[in-house]
Amino acid sequence: MIMELRHIRYFVAVAEEAHITRAAEKLGIQQPPLSQQIRALETELDVQLFRRLPRGVALTDAGETFLEDARQILKHVEHATAATQRTARGEQGHIVVGFTSSAPFHALFPKVFRSFRSATPLVSMRLEERGTGGLVDGLRNETIDVAFIRSPVADTMGLAVHPLVEEPMVVALPLEHELAEGEDQSINLAVLAGEPFILYRRSVGPGLYDGIITACSHAGFTPEIAQEAPRITSTLNLVAAGLGVSIVPASLRRLQVEGITYRPLSAPSQLTAPINLACRRVENAVATRRFIDMARAAAVAVTPGAP
Amino acid sequence: MIMELRHIRYFVAVAEEAHITRAAEKLGIQQPPLSQQIRALETELDVQLFRRLPRGVALTDAGETFLEDARQILKHVEHATAATQRTARGEQGHIVVGFTSSAPFHALFPKVFRSFRSATPLVSMRLEERGTGGLVDGLRNETIDVAFIRSPVADTMGLAVHPLVEEPMVVALPLEHELAEGEDQSINLAVLAGEPFILYRRSVGPGLYDGIITACSHAGFTPEIAQEAPRITSTLNLVAAGLGVSIVPASLRRLQVEGITYRPLSAPSQLTAPINLACRRVENAVATRRFIDMARAAAVAVTPGAP
DNA sequence: TAAAAATACTCCATAGGTATTTTAT
DNA sequence: ATAAAATACCTATGGAGTATTTTTA
């Protein structure tokens, strides 16, 4: 014979009743088969678990030992069942969220995390900041589950990209710059021709970079790149230091860098920056799929003029 | 269906092979029944555990969760089996050893514990010092498993008493006592007639007490009890203080109390004190039975002139 | 398309039921 | 003497085997 959970369940019932007939009743079977199963268990273990008394049975010392473990095993089986079902429903698990350094300034970002955390408190999250290339690699080799990126499309095979929000880009100027006067009044991109540009390094954020270059060329000039900053925040610091101007997503204004003024771009050169959510095209983890759904829902909620 | 260990064992095998056919081979069954059991488990849990691929199967996220628990459950079953068998063999468990305050001075005492500890390191022991009445009660209500006592027989129903060793009793005299001269030379009990006696209180040690009274009456006198001490050690302290003489088991000399001299008793009044091991007549715990056996063996080994 | 899983069906081992005997105090 | 467990025997559920079809990327 080989031990089954049935033996353990039956054993616990008999131990609790100290009476095979009563235990059988409780289990919804007859006394003889229960006696047999208990005996089979004793034979399998090669241990006497009960002493047979004229009015029932009593656990032996070894039976007492087995009872402790038996109860735990049944509890463990229940736990395993519940945990597995929670995981299947996406209520439990772990999710690694990647993002480019410019993403977390957007109001969408905390919104998504807050709603996901409160909806699925048993899913632990890890945040990982990387360049676009690193994020794509992470998604591919399963070290990252979803990534907030600014590249318009992740052309890369096997990955899917969901557009979340689109925000205007604004010109960032040092306070002492001649264009700094008239804050918040829109200016035409063309007036920046000849200005030294500070840009977020292309290798870590090709989406933003290429968008700016393209828009400039549409406006009739090729920007003079004075400096490439390794992180979006350094870009603003360099602008504040007076080393040049930059064009950044409007949400970066949250950073509140001293010595900077922002001006929107006027109509003809409506430069915008997207925030997209990249993930694997085939995603098995329900928790991850739920995260994506909730991020898209939050994006709709955050978009002005959506139904 | 109801979950059985079979499902868990099969599941782990399939998860490890990532291949139902190979897992079936490893389990010594055919592929179709294994497929069926896995499907039955998935139905029971209402969770898909594997994704079916053209070359085998792959765990889903939920399957991954279940695998962790499944392995632990199987480990737990193995552990329960082993622990139960160890308990049945008396290799594991707990034992409460009671003793009267005069017992632990005998060489037998540490000998028993040392040999039992090294023979059954997984059996934990607790020592409990009580008076004879407390020990008997403890044995009865199962708070004590075995007890070293000095009463010759535990007449009490349901208990068994195994004689272990018998040791001579010696007269304890204050150094300034007139009989203190001639240490280690035997004296006749009769010479103590009229001396004030310090005795270990009868209620906590009736065996010793009654033995002394009886011996004195055989020697032709009734001892004058100057004081009853609550513990055997206090008896010696009172003797050292010069409040009287006493008769104690020879092993008490180990105590090395200042200001006391001991003299053996001469032949006609060979007063001895036993150390017995009391236990329940029906003892189910194998560990306890083993303790008793080892104590008896140690007693034989410690008895001079045994084969 | 090719390997592997799922289905359809059969068989038999054994869990469980019924009737009776044995055991333990 | 009596309640309860064990034994004997029967039934039938369902686990496992064989042959075949369906699924998946």
Side-chain angles (χ1 to χ4, degrees):
Chain A
M1 196 221 50
I2 195 158
M3 205 192 299
E4 292 294 346
L5 287 177
R6 180 184 55 255
H7 297 111
I8 299 179
R9 294 191 185 100
Y10 286 5
F11 168 80
V12 171
V14 173
E16 281 174 352
E17 294 292 326
H19 201 282
I20 296 187
T21 307
R22 273 204 303 275
E25 223 169 298
K26 211 171 121 185
L27 290 167
I29 63 173
Q30 298 303 313
Q31 169 263 319
L34 182 54
S35 284
Q36 278 179 22
Q37 292 297 312
I38 295 295
R39 287 199 144 271
L41 178 59
E42 289 181 321
T43 305
E44 164 76 9
L45 290 172
D46 195 25
V47 164
Q48 196 183 343
L49 297 170
F50 294 102
R51 282 174 296 124
R52 274 66 172 177
L53 309 176
R55 309 260 155 156
V57 295
L59 281 169
T60 61
D61 234 47
E64 210 95 55
T65 301
F66 192 67
L67 179 59
E68 262 181 66
D69 281 317
R71 285 201 173 109
Q72 285 176 27
I73 289 165
L74 296 183
K75 273 254 158 38
H76 204 152
V77 170
E78 274 178 49
H79 170 267
T81 302
T84 303
Q85 289 168 342
R86 277 196 302 271
T87 304
R89 287 196 299 266
E91 294 167 11
Q92 180 182 304
H94 184 69
I95 186 171
V96 182
V97 181
F99 62 96
T100 41
S101 66
S102 68
F105 300 101
H106 195 281
L108 174 69
F109 208 78
K111 207 151 208 155
V112 169
F113 286 109
R114 225 174 297 132
S115 66
F116 187 72
R117 167 52 15 103
S118 73
T120 61
L122 266 53
V123 177
S124 59
M125 280 187 278
R126 203 178 74 233
L127 293 179
E128 193 124 328
E129 180 186 322
R130 295 195 199 170
T132 302
L135 293 173
V136 168
D137 290 351
L139 287 166
R140 283 256 184 65
N141 63 29
E142 315 240 300
T143 57
I144 289 180
D145 296 306
V146 282
F148 290 90
I149 59 175
R150 296 217 92 124
S151 312
V153 201
D155 26 25
T156 15
M157 207 208 81
L159 299 188
V161 173
H162 304 278
L164 295 180
V165 292
E166 192 98 10
E167 61 174 329
M169 296 196 79
V170 295
V171 180
L173 302 159
L175 267 186
E176 64 272 18
H177 195 281
E178 48 182 7
L179 289 169
E181 319 245 321
E183 185 174 10
D184 289 339
Q185 291 177 354
S186 64
I187 56 175
N188 193 295
L189 184 53
V191 304
L192 296 176
E195 291 283 347
F197 269 72
I198 316 283
L199 289 188
Y200 184 33
R201 185 169 295 162
R202 182 174 194 285
S203 60
V204 289
L208 289 185
Y209 191 99
D210 294 351
I212 292 166
I213 301 295
T214 306
C216 289
S217 97
H218 283 176
F221 70 100
T222 301
E224 174 204 330
I225 314 295
Q227 190 108 27
E228 286 190 358
R231 315 186 81 251
I232 195 91
T233 50
S234 346
T235 307
L236 294 182
N237 287 328
L238 293 171
V239 170
L243 273 66
V245 304
S246 188
I247 300 179
V248 298
S251 59
L252 264 289
R253 298 177 76 154
R254 292 173 163 255
L255 256 184
Q256 305 277 31
V257 179
E258 284 280 319
I260 287 195
T261 283
Y262 295 96
R263 297 192 64 171
L265 286 162
S266 55
S269 48
Q270 269 170 338
L271 190 48
T272 60
I275 293 184
N276 302 316
L277 194 61
C279 58
R280 288 178 286 278
R281 202 174 292 282
V282 292
E283 176 57 64
N284 326 97
V286 183
T288 303
R289 291 207 297 266
R290 285 189 66 163
F291 183 91
I292 295 163
D293 292 345
M294 298 189 67
R296 297 176 77 175
V300 170
V302 103
T303 301
Chain B
M1 195 219 53
I2 194 157
M3 204 191 301
E4 293 295 345
L5 287 177
R6 180 183 56 256
H7 298 112
I8 299 179
R9 295 191 186 100
Y10 286 3
F11 168 80
V12 171
V14 172
E16 280 173 352
E17 295 291 326
H19 201 282
I20 296 187
T21 307
R22 273 204 302 276
E25 224 170 297
K26 213 170 118 184
L27 290 167
I29 63 172
Q30 299 301 314
Q31 171 262 318
L34 182 53
S35 284
Q36 277 178 25
Q37 293 297 313
I38 295 295
R39 284 199 143 273
L41 178 59
E42 289 181 320
T43 305
E44 165 75 8
L45 291 172
D46 194 26
V47 164
Q48 194 182 346
L49 298 170
F50 295 102
R51 281 175 296 125
R52 273 65 172 178
L53 310 175
R55 308 261 152 154
V57 294
L59 281 169
T60 61
D61 234 45
E64 210 95 54
T65 300
F66 192 67
L67 179 58
E68 262 180 66
D69 282 316
R71 286 199 172 111
Q72 285 176 25
I73 290 165
L74 295 183
K75 275 254 156 43
H76 204 149
V77 170
E78 275 179 49
H79 170 267
T81 302
T84 304
Q85 288 168 342
R86 278 197 301 270
T87 305
R89 288 196 298 266
E91 294 168 10
Q92 179 182 303
H94 184 69
I95 187 171
V96 181
V97 181
F99 61 96
T100 42
S101 66
S102 68
F105 301 101
H106 196 281
L108 173 69
F109 208 78
K111 207 153 208 153
V112 169
F113 288 109
R114 226 175 296 132
S115 66
F116 187 71
R117 168 49 21 98
S118 73
T120 60
L122 267 51
V123 177
S124 58
M125 278 187 279
R126 201 179 76 235
L127 293 179
E128 194 122 329
E129 181 186 322
R130 296 194 197 169
T132 302
L135 293 173
V136 168
D137 290 350
L139 287 166
R140 283 256 185 65
N141 63 29
E142 314 240 299
T143 57
I144 290 180
D145 297 306
V146 284
F148 290 90
I149 59 175
R150 297 217 91 124
S151 313
V153 199
D155 27 25
T156 15
M157 207 208 83
L159 300 186
V161 173
H162 304 280
L164 295 181
V165 292
E166 193 97 12
E167 60 174 330
M169 296 195 80
V170 295
V171 179
L173 301 158
L175 268 185
E176 66 272 17
H177 196 280
E178 48 182 6
L179 290 168
E181 319 245 319
E183 184 174 13
D184 289 338
Q185 289 176 356
S186 63
I187 57 175
N188 193 295
L189 183 53
V191 305
L192 296 177
E195 292 282 346
F197 270 72
I198 317 282
L199 289 189
Y200 183 33
R201 184 169 296 163
R202 183 173 193 283
S203 60
V204 290
L208 289 185
Y209 191 99
D210 294 352
I212 293 165
I213 301 294
T214 306
C216 288
S217 97
H218 283 176
F221 70 100
T222 301
E224 173 205 333
I225 315 294
Q227 189 110 26
E228 286 190 0
R231 315 187 80 252
I232 195 88
T233 50
S234 348
T235 307
L236 294 183
N237 287 328
L238 293 172
V239 170
L243 273 63
V245 305
S246 188
I247 300 180
V248 299
S251 58
L252 265 288
R253 299 179 76 155
R254 290 172 166 257
L255 255 184
Q256 304 276 31
V257 179
E258 284 282 320
I260 287 196
T261 286
Y262 296 95
R263 298 193 63 172
L265 287 162
S266 55
S269 49
Q270 270 169 338
L271 190 46
T272 60
I275 293 183
N276 303 316
L277 194 61
C279 56
R280 287 177 287 277
R281 202 174 292 281
V282 291
E283 176 56 65
N284 326 98
V286 182
T288 303
R289 291 208 298 266
R290 286 188 65 161
F291 183 91
I292 295 163
D293 291 345
M294 296 188 69
R296 298 178 76 175
V300 169
V302 103
T303 300

